[in-house]
Amino acid sequence: MLKLHNLCRMYRTDEVETIALNNVNIEIQKGEFVAIMGPSGCGKSTLLNLIGMLDSSNGGQYIFNNEDISGYSEKQLSAIRKHHIGFIFQNFNLIEELNVFENIELALLYHNMPAAERKEKVLVVMDMVGVAHRAKHMPSQLSGGQQQRVAVARAVVGNQGLILADEPTGNLDSAHGQEVMEMLRSLNQQGSTIVMVTHNPSDADYANRTINLFDGAVVTEIVRAA
């Protein structure tokens, strides 16, 4: 599904030059569940942002679905994100003024989709993640686990094949965190490719493969038996 070849990301100021990613080479196949781990400041979130096309590299090559997107414009990258990538964030990033249904539907408003079709898709995905009974509730009326379930629903409602999760259990207690991880595993078993940044070894155990970063470089990879 995607291949990073000698990918680099450097940040410069007038006085400091920081290497966030240093010649990273990673290949992720369709249907994989990959965890990215490493100490704070090692480049995990930078790597996820580059994979999600929210940031650009200073060098190297990024192949996505057999296309070299390294030189694509923001308009081209936005079109790819819209149709192929869903995002799950640690802080949920739900819109407080919208209810559960509306927060999920928001992901479909840019797809030129009839309202009836949008409604059907939202209803299906709400039922899938177990929040259908909360459709009219506002985010402030939900527990942290429920809010993350809504965020997961929003990430998958457009049938995006790649789900990027940045510390998806970071703001949850262990019980709700386990619920979210079980949900991600179920989505992976249904065909979604998942790339997850985590500091939690228990969360990483849900993945088929763990990539460990240190100082912006891949240092080890662990593949788990199916």
Side-chain angles (χ1 to χ4, degrees), residues 2-5 7-9 11 20-28 34-37 42-57 62 87 162 164 166 195-197 211-214 216-218 221:
L2 65 91
K3 183 176 182 180
L4 312 178
H5 180 65
L7 208 68
C8 298
R9 184 64 172 104
Y11 297 98
L21 295 175
N22 187 15
N23 291 325
V24 170
N25 292 280
I26 293 174
E27 189 165 353
I28 296 175
V34 177
I36 300 171
M37 298 192 73
C42 72
K44 301 186 299 295
S45 292
T46 299
L47 177 58
L48 200 71
N49 286 338
L50 286 173
I51 291 173
M53 305 173 203
L54 298 174
D55 194 5
S56 57
S57 65
Y62 182 3
F87 296 89
L162 175 62
L164 302 182
D166 192 357
V195 181
M196 172 185 67
V197 161
I211 297 171
N212 289 288
L213 297 184
F214 187 77
V218 176
E221 290 195 31

Side-chain angles (χ1 to χ4, degrees), residues 199-213:
H199 68 279
N200 189 331
S202 296
D203 288 355
D205 285 343
Y206 283 84
N208 310 118
R209 178 161 56 115
T210 296
I211 297 171
N212 289 288
L213 297 184

Side-chain angles (χ1 to χ4, degrees), residues 95-108:
I95 297 177
E96 292 295 330
E97 294 78 16
L98 301 181
N99 64 30
V100 166
F101 183 98
E102 292 164 340
N103 263 284
I104 299 170
E105 184 186 33
L106 191 64
L108 298 175

